[in-house]
Amino acid sequence: MNYQSPERLQAVVLDWAGTVVDFGSFAPTQIFVEAFGEFGVAVTLEEARGPMGMGKWDHIRTLCNQPAIAERYQAAFGHLPTDEDVTAIYNRFMPLQIEKIAEHSAVIPGALEVIGELREKGLKIGSCSGYPAAVMAKVVELARTNGYVADHVVATDEVPNGRPYPAQALANVIALGIDDVAACVKVDDTWPGILEGRKAGMWTVALTCSGNALGLTFDEFRKLSSEELARERSRIGEMFEGSRPHYLIDTIVDLPKVIDDINARLARGEVPQAC
């Protein structure tokens, strides 16, 4: 039997914060600032956003590896942060995150309509996040009350390795019964999430204006001038270059036209791994 590449997409794997909910991806970033603060170590919101998309323990470890933050930690505790210290911060992060997740749970404007349109096109809706399962349970519950239910959800601690490894994206492929990774699209607002999709062999779509990279509320985004928006798109596009997304769009609202374009490319025999 010969291999035949798919002619149409079968599934979209969506990130959560910054992609479908929490326009500026504030829920995770602000809690990192607060969790470190409770240990007497100052971390700025900009610093907290740097490794966004990773699993939360790995995110904290990455922050602690940054020379400036490591120096602050050493000044407070007399030693550089160990893995045990990272776990202690993580254990404080978790209840704070669960407690405050509802403050940033609103569905991104237009997302429900787009997801409905994708379903009408016959696509399954997978999802994954850098949140662990305990937090995801709350996120999923809140999203359901707001009208969003994904076909499958994979938390970062439900696989051996979180982003930028491909395990979460591939777990969606298995659970949704997809027969070819080339028939899937990964949509994310972070470079680890785009690398996840790339390594899983999927088409990838990076979001430039919702989510972590821009870091604004929806209203703040809408108030940007055309010149400011152009500068931000350029800056964020450069941030994503290394992860090689197939597409860059502002928000999930722009996704349907990308889906149509990918379907046209698949019909011509193109596959994401070769692009």
Side-chain angles (χ1 to χ4, degrees):
M1 181 179 293
N2 298 325
Y3 172 73
Q4 182 174 346
S5 61
E7 297 181 355
R8 291 189 63 81
L9 290 169
Q10 300 173 27
V12 177
V13 180
L14 299 171
D15 176 49
W16 282 80
T19 298
V20 178
V21 301
D22 186 7
F23 188 89
S25 196
F26 288 103
T29 49
Q30 184 58 44
I31 305 304
F32 284 122
V33 173
E34 294 183 23
F36 273 88
E38 293 200 4
F39 285 80
V41 178
V43 172
T44 68
L45 192 60
E46 183 179 0
E47 288 172 329
R49 287 188 181 279
M52 191 57 62
M54 293 181 171
K56 302 314 175 193
W57 191 96
D58 292 330
H59 188 131
I60 295 169
R61 177 72 271 179
T62 301
L63 289 176
C64 286
N65 289 344
Q66 293 183 12
I69 297 174
E71 183 177 334
R72 291 172 217 154
Y73 195 96
Q74 186 168 31
F77 292 96
H79 65 269
L80 294 174
T82 65
D83 283 355
E84 289 75 17
D85 298 321
V86 170
T87 298
I89 298 171
Y90 176 81
N91 288 340
R92 186 66 196 109
F93 167 88
M94 283 290 287
L96 281 172
Q97 185 73 91
I98 294 171
E99 175 188 345
K100 298 191 176 186
I101 196 73
E103 295 177 11
H104 303 283
S105 62
V107 175
I108 288 172
L112 294 181
E113 293 79 3
V114 166
I115 291 167
E117 184 175 342
L118 299 181
R119 291 192 186 281
E120 289 178 1
K121 294 176 183 289
L123 295 171
K124 296 178 180 179
I125 307 298
S127 70
C128 55
S129 172
Y131 285 133
V135 178
M136 274 312 304
K138 186 66 174 178
V139 173
V140 169
E141 175 190 342
L142 291 165
R144 182 180 291 108
T145 66
N146 290 324
Y148 173 52
V149 179
D151 295 324
H152 191 62
V153 181
V154 182
T156 190
D157 56 350
E158 294 178 323
V159 294
N161 299 101
R163 302 164 178 170
Y165 288 83
Q168 288 178 269
L170 294 175
N172 275 280
V173 171
I174 295 168
L176 296 174
I178 307 303
D179 65 10
D180 196 315
V181 292
C184 297
V185 184
K186 177 68 203 300
V187 184
D188 208 291
D189 65 298
T190 67
W191 62 263
I194 296 301
L195 284 177
E196 169 197 18
R198 267 289 189 179
K199 292 180 179 182
M202 299 178 175
W203 298 93
T204 55
V205 181
L207 304 176
T208 58
C209 294
S210 73
N212 184 64
L214 186 60
L216 299 179
T217 66
F218 180 71
D219 287 340
E220 289 170 337
F221 157 63
R222 292 294 299 271
K223 290 177 182 176
L224 291 176
S225 68
S226 57
E227 293 80 10
E228 289 172 325
L229 192 54
R231 285 197 299 270
E232 288 300 306
R233 285 180 179 135
S234 177
R235 175 184 68 83
I236 295 166
E238 290 178 4
M239 288 175 56
F240 273 115
E241 278 184 1
S243 57
R244 296 180 57 214
H246 294 89
Y247 296 87
L248 289 164
I249 60 175
D250 283 356
T251 77
I252 194 173
V253 170
D254 304 307
L255 185 58
K257 61 187 177 184
V258 171
I259 298 299
D260 291 340
D261 190 67
I262 294 174
N263 278 331
R265 295 173 72 174
L266 285 171
R268 294 194 297 267
E270 295 183 44
V271 290
Q273 299 93 329
C275 300

